[in-house]
Amino acid sequence: MPATPLEVQNLSAGYGPTRVLEGISFSVPAGARLAVLGRNGMGKTTLLATLAGQTRRYDGRIVLGETDVTALPSASRAWHGLGFVPQARCVFPTLTVEENLFVGLKGRPKSALQEAYEMFPRLYERRRNLGSQLSGGEQQMLSTARSILGRPSVLLLDEPLEGLAPVICEELMKAFAELARTGDMTILLVEQRIQSALDFADQVIVLERGRIAWSGTPDSLSKDHAAVERLLGVGGLH
Ligand SMILES: Nc1ncnc2c1ncn2[C@@H]1O[C@H](COP(=O)(O)OP(=O)(O)OP(=O)(O)O)[C@@H](O)[C@H]1O
Ligand SMILES: [Mg+2]
């Protein structure tokens, strides 16, 4: 599936009676890379989960390419090309690494597994191990690899670098950039490693208590020291 644009209009959502997101609007062109930043508890995970259809939506619209997916359940959104790698890793503990990857193939031939193993050689080494036997970082790689194998047109990544060694982080960010660059995927990235996110993205939104408090380019955010300190709680970027 080729990359598609994503349009979010006036989205409000939460959990049961608890409203978390209020009036979120943004659009991401096909093949672009959006970083979603903000301090802990500001609504980043809730935003991705809402796009994936996993929270309660009160208001607003979500349009994927030509398709309004607002009323569609989570599984149909995936069918329309939305891939979600959640912050809480989901690896099937009683399946092997390879069997976990089969789940992500979505009808593609088994030979496509090679893509996952090229991206994460560690998964190839561990392919016969059970999901339950993997380290946190390996589960992270598996969960990400499985999503990418399905060739989503819009990929939602919630802190994909968490628990990974710096050298792997760098390789992974390069791989994500390559996926977006070749026009295969539109990518939304939530990441606490702000500099990595800014190096990767071409647009940024910063959430504060469920609303967009800042939006612009990575370059303009790097220069806006006041916003960085107020919204991200860090003294400066380099
Ligand atoms: N299942 C839930 N039920 C009720 N409230 C929730 C639920 N999940 C999250 N929240 C609340 O929604 C708000 C936003 O949480 P969210 O997980 O979206 O933040 P976040 O920006 O991803 O934070 P972090 O950086 O810590 O991952 C928080 O106040 C949180 O307590
Ligand atoms: Mg989160």
Side-chain angles (χ1 to χ4, degrees):
M1 229 181 262
T4 47
L6 175 72
E7 173 88 31
V8 173
Q9 295 169 354
N10 194 32
L11 194 63
S12 297
Y15 306 93
T18 314
R19 290 176 84 96
V20 174
L21 301 178
E22 284 290 349
I24 302 275
S25 299
F26 62 88
S27 58
V28 194
R33 307 178 299 266
L34 175 76
V36 180
L37 303 179
R39 292 193 311 264
N40 295 123
M42 293 300 162
K44 304 179 299 295
T45 293
T46 306
L47 174 59
L48 296 198
T50 301
L51 297 177
Q54 299 177 0
T55 63
R56 176 157 169 205
R57 187 190 55 89
Y58 302 106
D59 203 1
R61 275 183 6 120
I62 303 164
V63 183
L64 201 62
E66 304 282 288
T67 313
D68 187 332
V69 299
T70 314
L72 297 181
S74 195
S76 313
R77 294 187 196 196
W79 192 85
H80 280 283
L82 199 76
F84 181 30
V85 183
Q87 191 169 12
R89 309 306 157 209
C90 71
V91 162
F92 300 108
T94 59
L95 299 184
T96 64
V97 165
E98 192 141 288
E99 289 163 346
N100 264 280
L101 291 173
F102 287 160
V103 176
L105 281 173
K106 297 199 176 149
R108 298 183 70 209
K110 272 189 192 174
S111 56
L113 288 190
Q114 200 52 36
E115 292 168 17
Y117 292 143
E118 268 167 29
M119 198 178 245
F120 300 106
R122 182 82 186 137
L123 293 182
Y124 183 72
E125 291 165 25
R126 307 278 280 161
R127 68 192 180 283
R128 307 215 189 288
N129 283 90
L130 295 177
S132 60
Q133 296 169 327
L134 300 180
S135 73
E138 289 165 348
Q139 288 182 36
Q140 167 72 312
M141 293 177 205
L142 180 53
S143 160
T144 305
R146 200 178 49 204
S147 234
I148 288 170
L149 279 180
R151 289 244 161 260
S153 47
V154 175
L155 180 64
L156 311 176
L157 295 165
D158 198 351
E159 301 201 29
L161 304 184
E162 203 177 14
L164 297 180
V167 57
I168 295 175
C169 290
E170 220 169 284
E171 280 173 24
L172 193 55
M173 292 310 289
K174 273 192 210 145
F176 290 147
E178 185 61 19
L179 287 169
R181 196 188 61 79
T182 55
D184 285 347
M185 283 179 205
T186 305
I187 300 181
L188 272 67
L189 171 76
V190 168
E191 194 37 69
Q192 295 287 348
R193 301 185 198 201
I194 297 163
Q195 194 58 56
S196 297
L198 295 184
D199 289 343
F200 167 78
D202 46 33
Q203 309 176 28
V204 186
I205 58 174
V206 185
L207 297 184
E208 188 183 37
R209 277 182 245 106
R211 296 173 186 272
I212 295 181
W214 194 96
S215 69
T217 63
D219 208 33
S220 53
L221 183 61
S222 303
K223 289 178 183 141
D224 190 344
H225 300 291
V228 168
E229 193 163 337
R230 179 168 59 87
L231 298 169
L232 301 172
V234 287
L237 296 165
H238 44 84

